[in-house]
């Protein structure tokens, strides 16, 4: 079976740091993606992890532990425009992605 | 560089009808995938096309079918529409099928079945 768990909703304040967790159990693993999706828009690519460890890209970082089936997305210096849904997705092979339900992040002033 | 484009943006159909959704992949991308996203949910994999052949299918019935054309554009066809087919249909293309090639999504087609 395929199972990906993320919190449904999180709130944070502008300028703060937030960590969005994702745990997964899938048949097949060829990397984990994080996407950002604003309401009514397409998901946009944020990060990709295939090896254990931290990948940093500007204000966004993503971590992976394959042995624990765990990843997180870290957002620093939050801005109002970061209010969106964040989707964790496992590549089960040949770019076939299994997505979590998404974490809706609300950033307040 | 042109991104992934989908048409139409919105569509309203009646239960039992058939619908065709269209997608133009990003330039140079030979792999196209279709996803269904219900309200408040993550996208669900429908199927993938690579070099005009279906290459993997999710848990969707045969009334969901597709095509990929030589220019890598693609169509999703849904027959005998049901109310539960109401969703956002997303097309995504990637440069290759290797692990680090991210999917690039179009803005989707919002299908409403009444």
């Amino acid at each position: 079976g395929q199972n990906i768990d993320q919190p449904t909703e999180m709130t944070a304040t502008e300028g703060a740091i937030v960590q969005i967790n994702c745990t997964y159990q899938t048949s097949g693993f060829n990397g984990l993606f994080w996407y950002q999706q604003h309401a009514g828009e397409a998901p946009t690519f944020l990060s990709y992890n295939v090896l254990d460890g931290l990948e940093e890209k500007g204000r966004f970082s993503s971590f992976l532990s394959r042995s624990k089936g765990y990843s997180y997305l870290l957002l620093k210096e939050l801005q109002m425009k970061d209010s969106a849904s964040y989707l964790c997705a496992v590549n089960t092979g040949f770019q076939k992605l299994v997505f979590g339900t998404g974490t809706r992040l609300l950033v307040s002033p | 560089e042109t991104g992934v484009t989908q048409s139409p943006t919105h569509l309203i159909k009646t239960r039992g009808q058939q619908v065709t959704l269209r997608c133009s992949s990003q330039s140079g991308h030979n792999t196209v995938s279709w996803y269904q996203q219900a309200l408040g949910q993550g996208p669900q994999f429908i199927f993938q096309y690579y070099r005009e052949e279906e290459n993997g299918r999710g848990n969707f019935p045969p009334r969901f079918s597709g095509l990929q054309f030589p220019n890598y554009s693609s169509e999703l066809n849904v027959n005998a529409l049901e109310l539960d087919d109401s969703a956002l249909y997303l097309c995504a293309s990637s440069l290759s099928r290797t692990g680090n090639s991210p999917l690039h999504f179009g803005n989707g087609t919002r299908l409403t079945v009444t």
Side-chain angles (χ1 to χ4, degrees):
Chain A
Q2 318 279 39
N3 195 44
I4 298 182
D5 286 319
Q6 327 177 213
T8 304
E9 189 169 297
M10 299 182 71
T11 58
T13 307
E14 203 173 8
I17 299 172
V18 71
Q19 178 174 313
I20 302 174
N21 295 324
C22 170
T23 58
Y24 63 89
Q25 283 182 305
T26 57
S27 55
F29 181 86
N30 282 273
L32 187 145
F33 290 91
W34 284 94
Y35 281 85
Q36 179 192 61
Q37 186 176 27
H38 286 98
E41 297 183 12
T44 55
F45 168 71
L46 289 178
S47 69
Y48 172 74
N49 296 72
V50 65
L51 300 176
D52 291 352
L54 188 68
E55 294 281 341
E56 296 186 85
K57 195 186 283 187
R59 295 189 299 115
F60 294 72
S61 303
S62 57
F63 172 84
L64 176 67
S65 168
R66 290 171 296 170
S67 62
K68 295 181 179 177
Y70 168 70
S71 174
Y72 67 73
L73 180 69
L74 193 71
L75 294 79
K76 303 175 188 174
E77 301 168 17
L78 280 173
Q79 302 174 8
M80 297 296 290
K81 67 178 182 180
D82 296 329
S83 291
S85 286
Y86 291 85
L87 300 163
C88 171
V90 170
N91 179 6
T92 59
F94 296 107
Q95 306 310 81
K96 295 164 194 170
L97 303 191
V98 176
F99 283 85
T101 56
T103 298
R104 187 178 168 203
L105 175 65
L106 302 173
V107 180
S108 58
Chain B
E1 184 179 78
T2 307
V4 178
T5 57
Q6 294 186 242
S7 62
T9 54
H10 294 84
L11 203 51
I12 299 175
K13 289 285 189 178
T14 304
R15 190 171 51 184
Q17 286 188 314
Q18 178 266 342
V19 69
T20 297
L21 311 182
R22 294 179 174 83
C23 171
S24 293
S25 61
Q26 189 162 322
S27 178
H29 288 193
N30 59 16
T31 303
V32 174
S33 303
W34 287 91
Y35 287 79
Q36 180 195 66
Q37 187 175 24
L39 203 59
Q41 301 295 314
Q44 277 200 300
F45 175 71
I46 303 175
F47 43 54
Q48 180 189 87
Y49 278 84
Y50 173 68
R51 294 185 176 178
E52 302 177 55
E53 297 283 333
E54 186 180 293
N55 179 49
R57 187 179 185 93
N59 190 26
F60 281 83
R63 59 189 185 83
F64 285 77
S65 64
L67 284 173
Q68 187 181 30
F69 300 100
N71 65 355
Y72 304 136
S73 65
S74 177
E75 284 183 357
L76 164 65
N77 298 290
V78 187
N79 293 323
L81 283 167
E82 301 177 359
L83 297 180
D84 285 349
D85 295 334
S86 295
L88 180 68
Y89 288 85
L90 295 165
C91 172
S93 70
S94 59
L95 192 58
S96 75
R97 295 183 300 161
T98 57
N100 63 350
S101 180
L103 297 187
H104 295 264
F105 286 87
N107 283 330
T109 294
R110 173 74 62 189
L111 174 65
T112 303
V113 183
T114 61

